[in-house]
Amino acid sequence: MDFSKKGIENKQHHIKSTSRRLVSKTRITLFRLCIVVFVACIIVGAFAGLGFVKGLIDSAPDIAQIDVVPQGYTTTVYDREGNEIEYLVGAHANREYVYLKDLPEYLKYCFISVEDERFYQHDGIDVRGIFRAAVIGLTTGRFSEGASTITQQLLKNQVFDGGREATFFERLERKIQEQYLAVQLENKLDKDTILEYYLNNSNLGSGTYGVETAAKKYFNKNAKDLTLSESAVIAAIAQTPVYNNPINYPEKNEVRKNEILKEMLKQGHCSQEEYDVAMEDDVYSRIQSLNSKTDTTSYYSYFVDELIEQVMSDLQTKLGYTEAQASNLIYSGGLDIYTTQDSTIQGICDDAYSDESNFPDMGVSYWELAYALSVEKADGSTIHYHTNDLLDYYKDYDDPDRLYVDDNGSKFSALFLDKEDMQAKIDAFREAMVEEGDTILGEKATMTIQPQSSFVVMDQSNGEVVAIIGGRGEKEGNRTLNRATNTYRQPGSTFKILSTYLPALDTVGLTLASVQDDAAPYYYPGTNREVNNWTSSNSYKGLVTLRQGIYDSMNIVTVKTFAKVTPQLGYDYLTKLGITSLVESRKEADGRVVSDINYPMALGGLTDGVSNLELTGAYAAIANGGVYTKPVFYTKIVAHNGKILLENKPQREQVMKESTAFLLTSAMEDVVTKGTGTAIRFTKIDMPVAGKTGSTSNYYDLWFSGFTPYYTATIWSGFDNNRLQSNTLYPKKLWKTIMEQIHIAKNLETKDFTIPDSIVTAKICTKSGKLAVDGLCNEYLGGNSVRVEYFAKGTAPTEKCDVHVQASVCTVSHDLATDNCPVNKVKTGVFLNKEETGKTADTPYVLPKSYCSIHKGQAGSNINTPGTGTDPNTNTNTDPDTNMDPDTGTDPDTDPNTDSGTNTGGGTDDGDVNFHISDYLLP
């Protein structure tokens, strides 16, 4: 550097030069400009930031429109005694609301101490917490430190869908709106209300929401009964419900739990002694022990399945809900549904159906396969395989061990005995069908125990269904096939009572004493289709009363009676009895028009069939004095706010006369005492039972529907896919087992069926249906045909029997005796004066039509017929103890194990006639 005088002068000159001064001035100007720009940027940025924040705030939800009350609650189902029997839980709805005042102090502070320790001091946002989180984020680069208050967390879950944003800016936007709303919310609600909502809303793992449900899940107790250590365990879950779950991750939960307890001690919310006890508590052993007992997949019972169906229907038809709204209310509305189920009776049914000895082939269970396999081939095409494809694959399989039940011999079948062997064949089939490069889209193999069965028990006095069984075996899902309520099967002879005998007695003017001739092959009116006879020997009974037609389940007698009733009238009665599955008229896919308004309906021949529930409801109407009450599964539904949403009042209708109901009941008592249902008769207690058996071709369906003075019950048994049943007795025995045990368990006193004032009695002849004639009807060769019968007032006969006659017969020719027949060859007896068109049980005792051709002579007066004068001979005394026992015939006390009996209804010769019946057998 030049420091000479000349150099200094040159330097000064340079500094003072115009160019130099211009450069300096330019630099200063630029610097000032930069300062101004910088300040402007700060100002603009600030305003932009404020505008951005204001925009977010302006777009935030209106606090007046926000509802932070927890939504989605568990629906509780109660039995008729008010006991909780089931919980209906939808998504995010496994929640039971509990009030803060009912919770222990340490439970709420377990949450506060780690989630928001200054909860009771701040105004919705914790400024200190925000700065702490910011510092940690700036120094570590991790902005995961929580600064959300309990108020913010409540808003996040209730307003912002749990805070599931995908980007940082989306999270920032939500945080700003969340903090803004938190301040506003705290001006709207008090602290305790906010905390109460938070504790009822928090996701606490294992599908539980809120502290009450969590307490029941992990400790099987109410939240108010939690200990300090248990409270800390539940509070520890809130941070990360999945990874702090005490069942699946007890170690991680314990770390968080210990942090909570330390904070509780530090903040003065528990004493040192309480802290020490909580730390020493082996709480996780209890959790694991409880979980091992309860961690099993369980499904709703068949009763609850049908309950849901009825509630769904009623919410839509009575309150106008859509199907989606009704479903959401049921599973997430926190309803209290009070059902008609009697847990004692349901338990008896469940136990009986769990006992394999109550079903055929003790120790051996049949199984039926339903199979489906979907495969996406390598070329993108899709193939669906079903059970028939599996059967076709094994069509040449030989089954020497008879593990498969096939009607054609030892072949592979979907009905089988060995589940492991079947699974092996499924595996082999799959391996053969799936090639390299293929993808299995889905596969399902369902093995259902067979034969199946259903059971329904009703209280006939009010229509309440107290128990149902929808099938045998382990239930494999919710709202699955319910054989008690939504399966339709052919009802067989159980329908005779409803379709034929009820209208015959109620409207047509027939009585239990009315007589039909069970004779000769009989055809459905207007057709060439023969009515199948009911006995294995194909024999006919001859003249029988409607009473006998009922207790011996006689097809020809029923159809002849139905012809007088008419199909239309029978159909009308059935619809009044709540049978909804009848087909009035329907065009099938093949063009045929089908209708149940036809003669086969008399014997239960229906297009679609009938459900167990509706058949039980119809029989309950008879048991209830002729009053039909629609079967119900619940009495009332209470909304979450405590108001009654639905009240299920009985829908009643008098569908038959009270006298008709009693007459049918009386006849059906004979079914149990001497007819086709003697296996039903109770042996452990004295209780009257009335009912009707039923079966279909090849015994595909086996039924018994009956009642006592207290309950009505129906059992159905059969294979889901029709197959012959060789043992036809087991459903009757099972009905008896269940119903007898019900009456014992309920300690029900013995009482008879009530006889209405509208009933009278009369001594009648069972061959004519008219008033009996002493010396004739009771001396009949075929057996005493006199009985005391019940009648509705005004329907008892007034005419005397005109079919029994006393006559003298030649024992040589078996024709009417003449004056020339030797005295020692002439015997006198009481015969039937009827036209016989074929061989029946009456045939040996029919009055001969001609006189003896061996000892020719004058006919003489050898036939004695009763007078034709009328004699009411009726008894209006309805005391059943006064000569009113209808059992005047023999009682074999056997069950024929079919839907028919072997009792002819006749009695034995009383010995007053001095000749043997064989002397008068016609050639």
Side-chain angles (χ1 to χ4, degrees):
M1 181 172 288
D2 185 5
F3 290 99
S4 65
K5 184 178 179 180
K6 183 66 175 175
I8 293 172
E9 289 178 351
N10 290 335
K11 186 69 174 176
Q12 291 176 340
H13 178 74
H14 174 72
I15 293 172
K16 294 179 180 179
S17 66
T18 303
S19 59
R20 175 62 179 170
R21 292 176 64 186
L22 183 61
V23 169
S24 297
K25 188 175 181 179
T26 301
R27 287 177 177 176
I28 292 171
T29 302
L30 288 174
F31 176 75
R32 289 175 177 173
L33 183 60
C34 288
I35 294 297
V36 170
V37 170
F38 177 73
V39 172
C41 287
I42 292 175
I43 294 172
V44 171
F47 277 103
L50 290 173
F52 173 72
V53 171
K54 186 177 185 303
L56 292 180
I57 290 174
D58 289 342
S59 64
D62 186 350
I63 190 65
Q65 303 300 320
I66 287 177
D67 185 7
V68 293
V69 178
Q71 300 296 316
Y73 296 97
T74 300
T75 288
T76 305
V77 179
Y78 303 87
D79 67 11
R80 69 189 310 175
E81 301 298 329
N83 303 306
E84 296 180 2
I85 58 174
E86 189 60 86
Y87 302 100
L88 309 182
V89 183
H92 309 295
N94 190 12
R95 175 186 294 107
E96 294 181 54
Y97 198 90
V98 63
Y99 295 100
L100 190 67
K101 64 181 178 60
D102 296 326
L103 297 175
E105 285 289 302
Y106 47 72
L107 174 59
K108 70 178 186 179
Y109 279 109
C110 280
F111 283 88
I112 291 173
S113 63
V114 292
E115 296 295 332
D116 188 3
E117 65 178 288
R118 287 176 290 277
F119 173 70
Y120 281 107
Q121 285 78 48
H122 62 63
D123 294 323
I125 57 175
D126 185 2
V127 178
R128 289 171 57 185
I130 293 173
F131 276 111
R132 184 190 71 244
V135 170
I136 293 175
L138 291 172
T139 55
T140 64
R142 291 181 288 106
F143 290 89
S144 59
E145 181 71 16
S148 292
T149 64
I150 283 176
T151 310
Q152 289 178 251
Q153 291 181 49
L154 179 63
L155 286 164
K156 179 181 71 173
N157 291 326
Q158 292 296 88
V159 179
F160 296 102
D161 196 26
R164 302 173 185 175
E165 298 82 8
T167 67
F168 170 78
F169 288 105
E170 288 176 344
R171 286 194 296 274
L172 177 63
E173 178 181 349
R174 188 257 303 166
K175 275 288 187 182
I176 292 172
Q177 292 182 339
E178 185 183 282
Q179 291 173 350
Y180 166 73
L181 292 174
V183 175
Q184 289 193 308
L185 185 62
E186 295 227 357
N187 290 328
K188 180 180 179 181
L189 301 176
D190 62 68
K191 288 284 187 179
D192 283 349
T193 300
I194 292 172
L195 181 61
E196 182 175 293
Y197 290 167
Y198 171 78
L199 293 176
N200 280 285
N201 186 72
S202 297
N203 181 353
L204 296 174
S206 299
T208 65
Y209 291 84
V211 293
E212 179 72 6
T213 310
K216 291 182 177 180
K217 170 65 180 177
Y218 300 117
F219 301 106
N220 195 30
K221 61 173 65 174
N222 295 317
K224 66 183 180 62
D225 299 321
L226 291 171
T227 65
L228 175 59
S229 59
E230 292 167 346
S231 298
V233 167
I234 290 177
I237 305 171
Q239 184 185 45
T240 53
V242 174
Y243 295 107
N244 281 359
N245 186 308
I247 295 175
N248 301 325
Y249 301 97
E251 299 84 1
K252 293 183 178 181
N253 182 278
E254 186 174 19
V255 171
R256 181 68 169 174
K257 181 220 28 165
N258 292 341
E259 290 177 1
I260 291 171
L261 290 175
K262 288 177 182 178
E263 288 297 322
M264 289 284 286
L265 179 63
K266 175 182 174 182
Q267 297 174 28
H269 299 309
C270 71
S271 66
Q272 182 66 50
E273 182 181 358
E274 290 172 325
Y275 171 82
D276 293 339
V277 171
M279 289 295 291
E280 292 174 3
D281 185 12
D282 187 10
V283 65
Y284 296 100
S285 295
R286 294 202 304 278
I287 293 174
Q288 294 301 326
S289 176
L290 177 64
N291 182 64
S292 65
K293 296 177 182 178
T294 60
D295 189 25
T296 57
T297 302
S298 61
Y299 300 105
Y300 301 149
S301 68
Y302 288 109
F303 187 98
V304 172
D305 280 353
E306 180 58 24
L307 170 71
I308 293 172
E309 297 294 333
Q310 288 209 5
V311 174
M312 283 279 290
S313 175
D314 288 350
L315 287 174
Q316 294 175 71
T317 58
K318 296 180 180 180
L319 298 183
Y321 283 67
T322 65
E323 183 177 355
Q325 290 171 333
S327 178
N328 184 63
L329 185 63
I330 290 171
Y331 291 104
S332 303
L335 304 176
D336 289 320
I337 303 177
Y338 293 87
T339 75
T340 59
Q341 185 182 78
D342 186 311
S343 293
T344 299
I345 295 177
Q346 184 67 60
I348 290 171
C349 295
D350 291 339
D351 290 344
Y353 269 76
S354 298
D355 185 353
E356 288 299 311
S357 68
N358 287 323
F359 294 90
D361 300 304
M362 275 187 276
V364 178
S365 294
Y366 294 96
W367 302 86
E368 189 148 23
L369 176 71
Y371 182 71
L373 171 68
S374 295
V375 178
E376 182 178 323
K377 306 299 289 184
D379 61 3
S381 62
T382 301
I383 300 179
H384 301 287
Y385 300 98
H386 299 283
T387 307
N388 287 338
D389 298 302
L390 185 70
L391 295 175
D392 187 62
Y393 181 78
Y394 287 105
K395 63 182 178 181
D396 297 324
Y397 174 76
D398 187 33
D399 180 27
D401 297 327
R402 301 308 300 264
L403 298 178
Y404 298 88
V405 184
D406 185 79
D407 296 335
N408 299 318
S410 56
K411 299 292 184 180
F412 182 78
S413 167
L415 188 67
F416 58 94
L417 296 174
D418 192 328
K419 295 176 74 173
E420 292 185 0
D421 188 79
M422 174 59 84
Q423 187 60 55
K425 287 185 169 49
I426 291 173
D427 294 341
F429 174 78
R430 183 196 319 108
E431 185 176 347
M433 297 300 108
V434 180
E435 301 172 335
E436 185 176 353
D438 293 350
T439 302
I440 297 177
L441 301 177
E443 182 183 29
K444 185 175 183 180
T446 302
M447 302 180 190
T448 306
I449 195 169
Q450 299 292 336
Q452 272 297 327
S453 184
S454 66
F455 202 89
V456 175
V457 188
M458 279 182 62
D459 182 341
Q460 61 252 23
S461 67
N462 52 26
E464 294 183 358
V465 179
V466 295
I468 68 167
I469 296 289
R472 289 177 65 200
E474 185 177 348
K475 203 163 180 283
E476 297 185 351
N478 291 325
R479 300 173 72 182
T480 53
L481 177 66
N482 192 332
R483 297 169 186 83
T485 60
N486 53 37
T487 298
Y488 298 101
R489 303 287 300 207
Q490 297 300 312
S493 294
T494 60
F495 233 49
K496 293 176 180 177
I497 299 293
L498 309 176
S499 66
T500 302
Y501 294 109
L502 191 162
L505 300 177
D506 201 57
T507 300
V508 178
L510 300 181
T511 71
L512 289 179
S514 296
V515 171
Q516 296 286 5
D517 195 2
D518 180 40
Y522 179 74
Y523 300 89
Y524 288 104
T527 74
N528 58 0
R529 180 183 173 189
E530 185 178 352
V531 177
N532 292 327
N533 202 16
W534 60 271
T535 61
S536 58
S537 61
N538 201 36
S539 61
Y540 297 91
K541 296 277 189 172
L543 295 175
V544 297
T545 62
L546 297 196
R547 175 183 286 273
Q548 186 178 348
I550 290 172
Y551 71 69
D552 270 343
S553 196
M554 302 174 71
N555 289 350
I556 291 176
V557 173
T558 302
V559 177
K560 284 186 174 182
T561 304
F562 193 61
K564 294 185 177 181
V565 169
T566 74
Q568 183 62 57
L569 182 60
Y571 175 86
D572 292 342
Y573 267 92
L574 289 166
T575 55
K576 289 180 180 179
L577 288 165
I579 307 297
T580 63
S581 55
L582 299 178
V583 177
E584 185 173 11
S585 181
R586 185 175 73 200
K587 188 173 183 179
E588 300 292 273
D590 59 4
R592 294 180 301 115
V593 177
V594 296
S595 173
D596 286 330
I597 308 176
N598 221 320
Y599 286 97
M601 184 172 66
L603 306 181
L606 304 178
T607 305
D608 296 330
V610 67
S611 74
N612 188 323
L613 178 64
E614 291 190 348
L615 188 63
T616 305
Y619 269 79
I622 301 172
N624 194 32
V627 178
Y628 171 75
T629 307
K630 184 178 180 180
V632 297
F633 282 71
Y634 71 93
T635 55
K636 67 177 179 179
I637 299 176
V638 179
H640 186 60
N641 60 10
K643 295 182 179 179
I644 294 179
L645 188 65
L646 278 174
E647 215 166 357
N648 207 13
K649 296 180 179 179
Q651 300 177 37
R652 294 187 173 97
E653 181 183 0
Q654 187 83 37
V655 295
M656 72 191 85
K657 300 169 187 172
E658 188 179 17
S659 58
T660 301
F662 173 76
L663 293 173
L664 292 172
T665 298
S666 175
M668 288 191 287
E669 282 188 271
D670 281 358
V671 172
V672 176
T673 58
K674 62 180 179 181
T676 60
T678 55
I680 296 294
R681 193 181 339 182
F682 290 172
T683 54
K684 295 180 181 179
I685 59 173
D686 182 18
M687 187 69 67
V689 177
K692 185 68 187 73
T693 55
S695 64
T696 57
S697 300
N698 297 316
Y699 305 115
Y700 288 160
D701 304 276
L702 297 172
W703 295 87
F704 183 80
S705 190
F707 49 87
T708 69
Y710 297 97
Y711 295 108
T712 302
T714 300
I715 188 171
W716 165 85
S717 291
F719 287 82
D720 284 334
N721 295 309
N722 290 336
R723 290 183 182 273
L724 171 68
Q725 295 187 86
S726 57
N727 183 336
T728 61
L729 190 59
Y730 74 94
K732 302 172 189 176
K733 290 184 175 180
L734 184 53
W735 192 98
K736 169 195 169 183
T737 297
I738 292 174
M739 288 292 280
E740 193 167 40
Q741 186 58 43
I742 287 172
H743 287 72
I744 293 173
K746 304 296 288 186
N747 195 28
L748 300 173
E749 65 178 19
T750 300
K751 66 177 182 179
D752 293 322
F753 293 110
T754 302
I755 303 177
D757 294 337
S758 54
I759 292 294
V760 298
T761 62
K763 187 186 292 186
I764 58 100
C765 171
T766 59
K767 287 297 181 179
S768 66
K770 299 179 180 181
L771 295 174
V773 177
D774 288 338
L776 288 178
C777 302
N778 58 324
E779 301 288 349
Y780 169 52
L781 290 175
N784 184 4
S785 59
V786 177
R787 68 162 287 129
V788 175
E789 185 58 89
Y790 295 111
F791 295 90
K793 281 184 178 178
T795 65
T798 57
E799 297 180 354
K800 293 182 179 180
C801 171
D802 55 4
V803 299
H804 281 122
V805 296
Q806 187 178 58
S808 297
V809 175
C810 176
T811 60
V812 178
S813 65
H814 303 295
D815 289 328
L816 293 172
T818 68
D819 292 341
N820 291 334
C821 292
V823 174
N824 64 344
K825 298 298 182 182
V826 174
K827 299 298 181 181
T828 301
V830 177
F831 295 83
L832 284 179
N833 186 16
K834 62 171 286 196
E835 291 295 329
E836 194 79 328
T837 57
K839 187 176 181 181
T840 72
D842 290 341
T843 301
Y845 317 111
V846 172
L847 181 71
K849 303 301 181 186
S850 59
Y851 286 90
C852 178
S853 60
I854 297 176
H855 310 106
K856 297 180 179 179
Q858 295 297 317
S861 300
N862 59 357
I863 301 178
N864 178 27
T865 60
T868 58
T870 60
D871 179 5
N873 195 23
T874 60
N875 173 25
T876 59
N877 180 2
T878 59
D879 182 356
D881 295 329
T882 308
N883 194 28
M884 294 185 62
D885 184 359
D887 299 337
T888 58
T890 59
D891 182 1
D893 195 24
T894 57
D895 192 310
N897 198 23
T898 66
D899 192 29
S900 57
T902 57
N903 178 25
T904 64
T908 58
D909 186 356
D910 61 12
D912 292 336
V913 183
N914 59 354
F915 50 84
H916 194 274
I917 192 171
S918 61
D919 293 336
Y920 296 92
L921 295 178
L922 297 182

